[in-house]
Amino acid sequence: ALSEEAYERFRTVNVGGTRNLIQACLGAGISRFVHFSSTAAMGTIHLPVVEESTPCQPMTPYQRSKRESEVVVLAAWRESALPALILRPCMVYGPGGKGEFLKMCRLMARGLFPRLGRGRNLTPMVHVQDVVQAALLAGERGRPGEVYLIASESSFPMDMVRDVVLKSLNLRRPYPYIPLGLAMAGAFGFELLARISGTTPLVTRLNIASTVADRVFDIAKAKAELGYQPRVTLEGGIRQTMAWFQAEGYL
């Protein structure tokens, strides 16, 4: 029940807002309608590399609402000739943003971010400056009816991300190992407590599944058709972001 309530809330914002924008743009003579979606619309897919043509498998309320908003946009392109295209950025970080990346950094800074499982936990990230670059290029060159994945050149092992974050903060923190089964059991406990109290769980089993999955997105299409080229390095982007978090009092 809580999941369906969450889905309806996300759907009101993502799908309802998208429909309103489409109605405002129809017949306005715009050259491009660039819809910001997310790789979340695809769900957590267990493949070596994910491309735009990979079938979407959204599961969470947020993922489902993002995918449904994409369907609305593509229907407007087919049925009303709206010159619409879709960008799917992965996790965006950088000055001005908080979200999941800030949550991760806070846990890392407190020494509460463990290593889960024995895999590399490859994590896709993209700096906000590169997302802006992609958006501007999409407005000029994007093909209506198409979807473009927007990410960095490669995904990063989680231990590398953690090391760069702590180095940028001049901190040393423990990195305990937790077996995946134990982590899943703990997350299930958080979910039960949240269900009883009507609050949001600290972590869920889907969060953990997403963290331990090696997620790699192929950005060849965005590079070839838009001219997109990621420019911000992981070290430079995280250092800049940590400085902003500290200046704003978030860390």
Side-chain angles (χ1 to χ4, degrees):
L2 287 174
S3 293
E4 288 307 311
E5 290 175 10
Y7 170 63
E8 288 303 323
R9 290 197 300 271
F10 283 126
R11 190 174 184 276
T12 297
V13 175
N14 290 325
V15 181
T18 298
R19 285 199 173 107
N20 290 338
L21 283 173
I22 288 172
Q23 287 301 315
C25 292
L26 287 175
I30 62 172
S31 60
R32 297 286 194 290
F33 182 100
V34 180
H35 176 69
F36 271 82
S37 182
S38 166
T39 54
M42 306 186 77
T44 302
I45 300 173
H46 298 279
L47 291 174
V49 179
V50 174
E51 303 173 337
E52 288 85 355
S53 60
T54 304
C56 295
Q57 303 172 20
M59 295 181 62
T60 69
Y62 178 71
Q63 291 171 351
R64 289 163 56 200
S65 70
K66 295 301 283 186
R67 177 56 183 157
E68 189 172 342
S69 68
E70 291 186 349
V71 172
V72 168
V73 170
L74 294 175
W77 166 68
R78 288 192 303 269
E79 299 166 9
S80 303
L82 182 74
L85 59 130
I86 295 170
L87 296 186
R88 283 182 188 155
C90 61
M91 182 170 65
V92 182
Y93 76 104
K98 295 178 284 184
E100 290 300 315
F101 187 63
L102 175 58
K103 293 178 186 178
M104 288 170 48
C105 292
R106 282 174 168 167
L107 291 173
M108 292 172 181
R110 295 169 185 166
L112 300 176
F113 194 92
R115 178 181 178 183
L116 301 175
R118 294 294 186 183
R120 300 179 69 197
N121 300 349
L122 293 177
T123 303
M125 299 169 56
V126 62
H127 193 274
V128 64
Q129 291 178 8
D130 285 328
V131 176
V132 171
Q133 176 205 161
L136 294 174
L137 290 168
E140 297 173 357
R141 309 178 189 176
R143 286 197 295 145
E146 295 298 322
V147 177
Y148 299 93
L149 291 170
I150 305 300
S152 52
E153 286 284 2
S154 61
S155 294
F156 308 102
M158 184 58 77
D159 59 351
M160 176 189 294
V161 175
R162 177 185 173 277
D163 288 347
V164 176
V165 167
L166 293 180
K167 183 178 179 181
S168 299
L169 296 173
N170 294 314
L171 294 175
R172 294 174 64 88
R173 292 291 185 265
Y175 194 26
Y177 166 73
I178 296 181
L180 183 56
L182 181 59
M184 284 293 194
F188 179 66
F190 283 124
E191 291 174 25
L192 285 178
L193 288 173
R195 190 175 304 165
I196 293 169
S197 62
T199 59
T200 301
L202 178 64
V203 65
T204 69
R205 285 167 291 175
L206 284 172
N207 291 149
I208 292 175
S210 177
T211 298
V212 300
D214 286 342
R215 293 169 294 154
V216 178
F217 294 104
D218 186 350
I219 59 172
K221 182 177 177 180
K223 293 171 73 172
E225 296 190 11
L226 304 181
Y228 171 67
Q229 290 290 341
R231 296 169 183 160
V232 181
T233 65
L234 179 70
E235 292 79 6
I238 287 182
R239 186 168 57 249
Q240 182 190 52
T241 306
M242 293 306 103
W244 185 80
F245 282 162
Q246 290 181 310
E248 295 296 320
Y250 295 127
L251 283 177

